[in-house]
Amino acid sequence: MKVAYRSDIGRIRLVNEDRGWAEQSETGLAFAIVADGMGGHQAGDVASQLAIDTFREVLQGTTAAHSLDERKVLIRQAILQANEVVFDMASRNDQYHNMGTTVVAALLQTENGVIGHIGDSRAYKWRDGVLSQLTEDHTLVNELVKSGQITSEEAINHPRRNVLTRALGTDAQVEVDVRGIPWAPGDLLLLCSDGLTNMVSVQEMTETFLLDELDLDGKADRLVQLALQAGGDDNITVVLMHHAEDTKQEE
């Protein structure tokens, strides 16, 4: 497994409220998570960091000896525990009132993986020249598209496109979307915040992954630069995981 992680404050924001983490255990199980925080008075970065820290604490020490169904339970438990921690902090501190975060996370083994998410941070898989979106945004605009009230094209520039219908830490109870995915040699997984997907098209992402002259590190850099060149309106965070024979983490 190769891993590359990048996070950039962007061109507009004063604080980077995105957080990310990726790691591979000695047993071969790989973890990754991206969180995009929100909340007044710089509470967003507190929410996203708490979510990442809790997720790590729950999962570190986990072995690869888990079935796919067991890992689905595990990733759901880790995200729900993060929800408890963030909600508790927000409830007990006025300065953190209503803070929350999106989260998209992955647990990968040799042949398959599990994706869990809340909000509009996304997961994509690249296989055989095709980029597939693995998550569905929990947003008002996505609900409008699904109900046929607006088109996908109208959703791109809709004035309320950033309104979430679900987030981590804003309520005591939250639903986590969890799914299993095939994971084979040559596959590449992208986890990212909406600072990437609101600025960079699927076509541009595809063109990036097709550039054989760029290593995983270079592809992560290019994705961030494309978002910055398009305006960099938000924080941008990218985690790339490549199912490769040699194991390397690129910083």
Side-chain angles (χ1 to χ4, degrees):
M1 189 88 66
K2 291 182 178 178
V3 178
Y5 165 59
R6 293 289 183 279
S7 190
D8 193 284
I9 194 171
R11 300 195 185 280
I12 307 296
R13 301 296 177 91
L14 300 177
V15 176
N16 190 347
E17 296 182 322
D18 285 2
R19 295 291 185 273
W21 168 69
E23 187 174 290
Q24 184 170 15
S25 71
E26 294 179 358
T27 57
L29 185 62
F31 315 88
I33 182 171
V34 167
D36 178 358
M38 58 191 183
H41 308 293
Q42 301 183 4
D45 54 337
V46 174
S48 55
Q49 189 64 56
L50 278 173
I52 298 284
D53 291 345
T54 306
F55 185 85
R56 289 180 67 167
E57 288 168 9
V58 173
L59 293 178
Q60 281 185 326
T62 301
T63 69
H66 285 278
S67 68
L68 184 65
D69 285 341
E70 287 171 332
R71 277 178 285 132
K72 286 181 180 179
V73 171
L74 189 62
I75 200 168
R76 180 175 278 111
Q77 287 177 338
I79 293 173
L80 289 176
Q81 190 159 327
N83 186 75
E84 287 183 22
V85 171
V86 175
F87 181 75
D88 181 64
M89 176 72 80
S91 301
R92 290 188 291 106
N93 297 272
D94 288 343
Q95 71 268 36
Y96 298 143
H97 180 64
N98 281 338
M99 76 173 177
T101 183
T102 70
V103 63
V104 59
L107 300 184
L108 303 174
Q109 266 184 233
T110 306
E111 297 179 351
N112 54 45
V114 175
I115 305 294
H117 92 287
I118 301 171
D120 61 355
S121 291
R122 294 179 182 176
Y124 293 85
K125 188 172 75 170
W126 172 259
R127 173 182 281 186
D128 297 332
V130 177
L131 187 65
S132 305
Q133 185 174 332
L134 303 176
T135 53
E136 183 177 298
D137 294 349
H138 300 139
T139 60
L140 173 63
V141 163
N142 191 45
E143 292 300 319
L144 294 175
V145 171
K146 286 164 60 180
S147 65
Q149 296 180 60
I150 63 173
T151 66
S152 298
E153 290 72 26
E154 289 171 331
I156 294 172
N157 296 309
H158 195 280
R160 303 190 70 190
R161 65 185 181 277
N162 293 322
V163 176
L164 298 177
T165 55
R166 204 189 303 177
L168 184 150
T170 56
D171 296 284
Q173 305 293 326
V174 69
E175 183 182 352
V176 186
D177 285 3
V178 176
R179 63 172 293 183
I181 62 166
W183 182 241
D187 288 355
L188 192 151
L189 185 72
L190 163 65
L191 304 183
C192 60
S193 61
D194 67 342
L196 179 75
T197 52
N198 285 341
M199 296 283 108
V200 181
S201 68
V202 169
Q203 178 62 34
E204 289 172 310
M205 293 185 212
T206 298
E207 290 169 356
T208 298
F209 294 137
L210 285 170
L211 293 173
D212 292 335
E213 65 270 23
L214 292 181
D215 59 9
L216 199 66
D217 211 36
K219 288 172 181 174
D221 282 333
R222 187 175 191 273
L223 289 174
V224 171
Q225 288 304 313
L226 285 170
L228 291 171
Q229 290 165 15
D233 292 352
D234 200 352
N235 309 144
I236 309 146
T237 298
V238 170
V239 172
L240 292 178
M241 307 180 79
H242 183 213
H243 195 323
E245 294 301 321
D246 54 332
T247 301
K248 184 171 68 171
Q249 181 145 338
E250 306 187 18
E251 293 296 343

